[in-house]
Amino acid sequence: MRTILFAALSAAVSTSALAQAEDPNLWLEDIEGQRAIAQVKQWNAATEASLTTMPGFEERRARALKLLNDPNQIATPDEVMGDLVANHWVDADHKRGLWRVSPLSAYLAGKPVWRTLIDVDALGKAEGKSWVWHGANCLPPEYQRCLVSLSPGGSDADVVREFDLAAGKFVEGGFTVPESKNSVTWADRDTLLVAMAEGEGTVTRSGYARIVKEWKRGTPWSAATKVAEASESDIGISPFAVMDGDIRRVAISRNVGFYAARVSMRAPDGHWVELPIPETAIFDAVVSGQAIARLVESLGQLKPGSVVAFDIAQMLSGQKPEPALVMEPTKSQAIEEVAATDNVLWVKALDDVSGKLFALRRQPDGSWSSKAMPLLDHSTVHIAGTADKQDIAFAAVEGMLSPTTLMSVDSTGKAATIQALPAQFDASKFSVDQRFATSKDGTRVPYFLVRRKGDSRPTGALIHAYGGFRAAQTPTYLTAQPYRSGPLGLFWVEQGGAFVLANIRGGGEYGPAWHQAALREKRQNSFDDLEAVARDLIRTGVARKDGVAISGRSNGGVLVGAAMTQHPELYSAVIAGSPLLDMKRYSHLLAGASWVDEYGDPDKPGDWAFLSNYSPYQNVRPGVRYPPTFFYLSTKDDRVHPGHARKMAARLSADGNRIYFHEYMEGGHSVGADRSEDAMRAALLWAFLTKEIGSGAD
């Protein structure tokens, strides 16, 4: 099943005299406040005035836009619907995209024949809305009716509307779920399961929906009946459905913690059964009557990180079946993605951060056979989609110097190229290496290094890292590194710099243990890992002592914020995108309460004791000179509050530190509602790095 991500509701900001005294920048948490927006516009203007006049800026902005809008793009299979493939396509003429379908046979032959269903730009213009595409959920096996999700301005909140695939238009009088942090799925053609945040009494402390209702066609929402409820202290609740061959299994996930969920499934007689699957396990898919999950903790003799199977029929009858081992990773592996077709389980694993794909089948005796798929070694592999009836997986394969190739793979190992992108730059000029740094506690930390061939003098180095939420950072083509900064990595190495992707602890590069090693009170390990990579680059002569820049986005904002406040002498420039920085107030802002399992609860003295040691905002010290910092974010981010970046910028600049600040009015947590804004950001960041740490070996 697709991972269900919850987004946040706006939280009220405390403006008491006591709070203002403790934090004089609290007014910047007023997201749309007149005073706060005026300050944002002033910072934006100053940043643009400083950087857009840099020689080479306009050239790189235009080139970034051309690269991002390159018509040679992979048309990814967002969903295979029977004999159709659906795709959301964005290009220079369609900034918000086209939702379209092609016959599967033509797509597999590499010659898709597209039929446009929704032109998102045209729809927004006609309806006077700044619509951003959030996806579609079409009801199998007919795939005639779809639930289309559209976000106004790119926030996590969206509107869900019923669409007739055959007619190619929205259903007049059909289902419409109003703007909210919605989670909606089909129970059947005339029934929806809806979790909607409707205000007081319907949301958890984290701001997510806490009630699932069953809504019948032709009845008002007020007549919808409650079928499940989470407590206020839970993270949230959401319905979903998966296909098990020809059987549609409808379920509800109650997230009792950020890393804990209890899944209930509807039995054939209509009643709901909570499945006896460990709540810390990750429910991934169903295949051959088995519920597939990844273990985060040991279960009997089964090790963390293993893929296991639970018999669905037995569970729905009230039994507690013993789990069967499907796949156990080696010490160097982590199982990162799991998907299912009618008869095959597809597993993508990382092996020292290189991707591998396996096809597994359940045998008559209940065991599982496994076959490695013949894909390019030392590459990033991503399961881009599946075709259920054909038992085909679509695998996207790429590397830092290798453009993406989309392949179809069947369970026998037969692979065919659907589409291979041409190179966007001359890769022969560059080299890519995987290296390992040693952290303070002796842990080997991998990182990927790209630079010009033959360069041996120390240069400016840009390190991008994340280090949290089990999210592995795998190498992708250099025109899309680092995340949401487009071709910044390419621009940097072309002029003689080094680009580094660091696989620090907190991510999922080596399974649950790698994540847990930087969880809560162990967070310092991720900062130490980043420091180890930086010092290794200096020690080995890759980076100048005054030429190390660091970049992080979202959770990566905590990382780079802590890094710069702990070692201001080590880092010479900092990029913080949509950053989390105020760990004292984070749990009271937007989605923050849902992350206490990752960071700890600052309202508990014991947790604040370790959070206060690194919280970037609270650790800015008067009189200390911090590296120049570029903050980029969005006013419409309803996941990480824009107040984090605003307040950090205010605190740093008040003491004379150089800050650059760029806040888009739209775009949500991803920042930037279209590629023209992404191109602008790539050029601004290039100009920032060039201005602050120079280029090449100078």
Side-chain angles (χ1 to χ4, degrees):
M1 79 175 189
R2 292 180 176 177
T3 302
I4 298 172
L5 299 176
F6 291 102
L9 289 174
S10 295
V13 176
S14 169
T15 55
S16 67
L18 177 61
Q20 289 286 3
E22 293 176 346
D23 184 358
N25 298 314
L26 201 66
W27 59 277
L28 287 165
E29 291 182 7
D30 187 1
I31 296 176
E32 302 279 1
Q34 185 175 357
R35 183 185 175 195
I37 292 297
Q39 178 63 79
V40 165
K41 290 181 177 179
Q42 181 181 330
W43 279 332
N44 284 354
T47 295
E48 292 187 19
S50 175
L51 298 180
T52 60
T53 55
M54 285 277 293
F57 171 85
E58 180 54 31
E59 174 191 346
R60 283 167 177 80
R61 188 206 62 79
R63 186 179 173 208
L65 185 60
K66 183 178 180 180
L67 288 168
L68 293 169
N69 282 328
D70 190 339
N72 294 305
Q73 302 177 49
I74 295 289
T76 55
D78 297 336
E79 185 178 5
V80 176
M81 305 180 296
D83 59 358
L84 293 176
V85 175
N87 164 259
H88 178 241
W89 178 263
V90 176
D91 59 25
D93 298 323
H94 307 94
K95 295 182 178 181
R96 301 298 173 90
L98 302 173
W99 183 45
R100 57 188 192 170
V101 292
S102 167
L104 176 60
S105 57
Y107 185 84
L108 288 170
K111 299 179 180 179
V113 180
W114 297 110
R115 173 170 68 97
T116 297
L117 299 171
I118 297 176
D119 182 328
V120 181
D121 299 83
L123 179 68
K125 184 177 181 180
E127 298 183 346
K129 296 285 188 178
S130 182
W131 289 130
V132 175
W133 182 255
H134 266 199
N137 175 4
C138 300
L139 178 64
E142 295 86 3
Y143 297 101
Q144 290 301 304
R145 292 298 175 95
C146 304
L147 299 172
V148 169
S149 298
L150 297 164
S151 167
S155 66
D156 284 346
D158 55 29
V159 174
V160 180
R161 297 157 66 177
E162 186 176 5
F163 188 86
D164 188 316
L165 194 69
K169 61 182 181 180
F170 289 104
V171 177
E172 186 175 350
F175 285 115
T176 299
V177 181
E179 182 182 345
S180 173
K181 306 301 187 294
N182 295 312
S183 179
V184 186
T185 197
W186 295 99
D188 57 48
R189 185 182 172 92
D190 295 315
T191 312
L192 298 184
L193 291 178
V194 180
M196 180 166 52
E198 299 180 86
E200 187 176 354
T202 69
V203 296
T204 65
R205 190 176 303 152
S206 299
Y208 303 127
R210 58 183 293 255
I211 297 171
V212 176
K213 293 183 179 181
E214 188 174 72
W215 188 15
K216 296 288 186 181
R217 185 182 299 280
T219 65
W221 172 247
S222 59
T225 58
K226 182 170 65 177
V227 296
E229 183 173 3
S231 69
E232 187 178 355
S233 62
D234 290 338
I235 302 298
I237 194 168
S238 60
F240 67 95
V242 288
M243 293 301 293
D244 183 6
D246 293 328
I247 302 173
R248 181 172 171 79
R249 300 197 184 275
V250 180
I252 292 172
S253 177
R254 176 187 163 206
N255 290 65
V256 297
F258 196 88
Y259 298 112
R262 296 173 185 167
V263 177
S264 297
M265 188 172 286
R266 180 170 273 173
D269 63 4
H271 79 282
W272 293 91
V273 178
E274 186 173 297
L275 305 182
I277 295 174
E279 63 180 33
T280 59
I282 303 168
F283 188 110
D284 277 311
V286 298
V287 63
S288 302
Q290 306 293 301
I292 307 299
R294 279 174 286 164
L295 297 180
V296 175
E297 300 174 331
S298 297
L299 183 59
Q301 299 298 311
L302 299 171
K303 297 179 180 180
S306 297
V307 179
V308 298
F310 297 84
D311 188 271
I312 294 175
Q314 292 181 29
M315 290 191 291
L316 293 182
S317 67
Q319 301 178 53
K320 294 184 178 180
E322 289 293 321
L325 178 64
V326 178
M327 181 175 174
E328 180 181 309
T330 67
K331 289 183 178 180
S332 62
Q333 288 181 339
I335 294 174
E336 191 182 27
E337 296 175 355
V338 178
T341 51
D342 278 6
N343 305 292
V344 178
L345 189 69
W346 301 91
V347 174
K348 177 269 185 85
L350 294 176
D351 198 331
D352 273 337
V353 203
S354 290
K356 297 183 182 299
L357 183 65
F358 300 88
L360 299 97
R361 282 181 180 268
R362 189 167 186 260
Q363 303 302 303
D365 65 357
S367 64
W368 292 77
S369 64
S370 175
K371 183 178 180 63
M373 299 292 101
L375 301 177
L376 186 66
D377 290 335
H378 307 298
S379 295
T380 289
V381 176
H382 170 58
I383 300 175
T386 56
D388 291 348
K389 298 301 178 187
Q390 295 80 7
D391 281 324
I392 287 175
F394 296 99
V397 183
E398 64 183 315
M400 284 180 154
L401 303 181
S402 304
T404 305
T405 295
L406 181 68
M407 307 185 73
S408 64
V409 188
D410 67 22
S411 60
T412 69
K414 181 181 178 182
T417 297
I418 300 295
Q419 187 179 359
L421 294 184
Q424 291 183 308
F425 59 89
D426 184 357
S428 67
K429 297 179 179 179
F430 310 112
S431 64
V432 58
D433 301 295
Q434 185 182 36
R435 298 186 175 190
F436 292 82
T438 302
S439 197
K440 286 183 178 179
D441 63 358
T443 300
R444 293 174 76 242
V445 180
Y447 65 90
F448 292 88
L449 166 65
V450 186
R451 56 182 174 172
R452 287 195 310 209
K453 286 182 179 178
D455 282 355
S456 58
R457 293 185 298 166
T459 186
L462 171 61
I463 309 171
H464 186 72
Y466 184 76
F469 293 94
R470 298 176 182 161
Q473 301 298 289
T474 53
T476 54
Y477 198 46
L478 209 55
T479 55
Q481 290 278 8
Y483 181 62
R484 299 307 296 178
S485 297
L488 174 62
L490 174 63
F491 293 166
W492 191 241
V493 298
E494 281 182 333
Q495 68 182 27
F499 176 69
V500 175
L501 183 66
N503 303 113
I504 65 177
R505 282 175 287 183
E509 285 86 346
Y510 291 100
W514 198 249
H515 169 241
Q516 292 162 0
L519 201 60
R520 290 173 51 85
E521 69 275 8
K522 300 175 183 177
R523 203 75 186 178
Q524 185 61 41
N525 283 334
S526 67
F527 314 144
D528 291 345
D529 289 357
L530 181 62
E531 178 191 355
V533 172
R535 295 194 185 281
D536 195 64
L537 291 169
I538 295 171
R539 180 186 63 81
T540 57
V542 172
R544 305 190 319 264
K545 289 184 178 180
D546 64 347
V548 176
I550 51 176
S551 165
R553 199 190 76 85
S554 191
N555 167 77
V558 177
L559 171 70
V560 298
M564 67 179 282
T565 53
Q566 290 180 7
H567 298 286
E569 80 293 343
L570 177 60
Y571 307 109
S572 297
V574 178
I575 297 172
S578 305
L580 192 65
L581 293 161
D582 183 350
M583 303 309 289
K584 180 65 175 177
R585 282 186 48 75
Y586 88 90
S587 59
H588 298 276
L589 299 173
L590 299 179
S594 65
W595 306 325
V596 295
D597 289 347
E598 178 78 13
Y599 300 117
D601 187 345
D603 294 336
K604 295 179 179 179
D607 287 6
W608 179 240
F610 59 79
L611 283 163
S612 63
N613 287 332
Y614 73 80
S615 180
Y617 185 62
Q618 280 74 25
N619 277 282
V620 174
R621 301 184 299 279
V624 175
R625 188 58 58 225
Y626 294 100
T629 304
F630 191 117
F631 299 96
Y632 68 87
L633 60 149
S634 167
T635 309
K636 290 293 186 182
D637 189 343
D638 50 358
R639 195 178 309 173
V640 174
H641 198 290
H644 286 279
R646 294 174 180 179
K647 294 196 304 176
M648 190 71 166
R651 178 159 289 184
L652 287 169
S653 60
D655 202 32
N657 294 286
R658 285 200 301 281
I659 67 104
Y660 300 79
F661 189 98
H662 209 256
E663 180 175 327
Y664 287 101
M665 298 298 121
E666 293 189 331
H669 188 55
S670 294
V671 188
D674 58 54
R675 288 174 177 168
S676 63
E677 295 177 354
D678 293 345
M680 177 72 168
R681 179 168 53 258
L684 287 171
L685 293 176
W686 166 83
F688 163 70
L689 291 174
T690 302
K691 182 175 183 178
E692 293 298 344
I693 66 173
S695 60
D698 48 25

